Amino acid sequence: MPTILTLYEFSDEHAKQIRDIAPDYELKTVPIKEVTPEQIREADILVGWNRKMEQAAVESDTLKWVQSWSAGVDYFPMDRFAEKNVLLTNSGGVHAIPISEHIFAVLLSMTRSVHLNIRSQVRGKWDKNGTYGEAAGRTMVIVGTGHIGRATAKLAKAFGMNTIGVRHSGRPEEYIDEMYRTHGIEEAFGKGDVIVNILPLTDDTRHFFDKDSFGYMKKGALFINVGRGPSVDTDALVAALDSGTLSGAALDVFEQEPLPEDHPLWKREDVIITPHVAGNTDHYDVRATEIFIDNLKAFVNGETLPCNLVDYSRKY
């Protein structure tokens, strides 16, 4: 009997749905820390991932589909999967609400100097220093306008902001006032009061935000990174902060994680650091499971997987 091996515990209700959809499959649950290479090699469908299981996965003669529990897939052996015709789907869309809300949490914090007020509170100081601006009327440039970018743009419009999008195709998107292709960033960045990075990590996006990119930005812009850490050249980011090109930055992801304790970013008052938690939510597992179930319905019928099928040629 073919096997669905899940490294995550499904609820009783979801497990019943899965068994009803795929009655010819055995549903086997093994905690991620306990799974063995042999179990990986024998699975037909794998739900979840750990980098330590890569060798067993690419050696498998039965594995047909991997459902990632994360949205990012840059750490998967995509070339090997493509060679073996193994499908890969991610959990894109799970993060749209928490990450878009996180973006506005840090945006409003920096716009209203709440981050400085909190630091003063820790020191026991009544200190009104800081700038007290407004989000309304400002222009947000969203780089990467998928599920998260669309949700972020919707919130931006609710706050009375203007929205500009940057995406590879240049295709229009709801809640985006203007859309630019990636080769049009010089003009787009020059209009932005807030630049939000939501890019996936590919060969084309590694160090997408470099010295030139930061140089295109309007002086005093705020930079928010909830995409992938290596899409930003950290040295160029620090230089942009030092020069005043950026008035501040809110960073959830980094080239090196955890961010080293002696890194200069920790001590900057114009920076908010969060430890890669923007996508965390207590609704995560339910949403990811629903994506898997929608894909499973198609898989057992021999149809194209409808949700988040990774294009190996584009690496996302």
Side-chain angles (χ1 to χ4, degrees), residues 1 12 20 53 71 97 107-108 184 201 228 243-244 248 272 286:
M1 177 179 284
D12 291 343
D20 288 344
M53 63 180 65
I97 293 175
L107 167 60
L108 296 174
L201 183 61
R228 305 302 282 179
S243 69
I272 291 177
V286 171

Side-chain angles (χ1 to χ4, degrees), residues 19 25 30 35 58 71 100 119 139 162 199 215 227 238 276-277 290:
R19 291 190 177 97
Y25 284 75
V30 180
V35 69
V58 298
S100 60
R119 287 166 178 157
T139 297
N162 306 307
L199 287 174
V238 172
H276 205 146
V277 295
E290 289 171 351

Side-chain angles (χ1 to χ4, degrees), residues 81-127:
F81 278 2
E83 290 172 8
K84 303 194 70 154
N85 295 315
V86 176
L87 303 173
L88 175 63
T89 50
N90 67 24
S91 295
V94 168
H95 304 89
I97 293 175
I99 292 184
S100 60
E101 290 186 359
H102 181 94
I103 288 167
F104 270 83
V106 294
L107 167 60
L108 296 174
S109 177
M110 299 199 84
T111 300
R112 300 296 306 163
S113 290
V114 174
H115 63 306
L116 299 180
N117 298 154
I118 291 173
R119 287 166 178 157
S120 295
Q121 176 186 346
V122 171
R123 296 193 296 264
K125 300 294 183 181
W126 185 273
D127 189 345

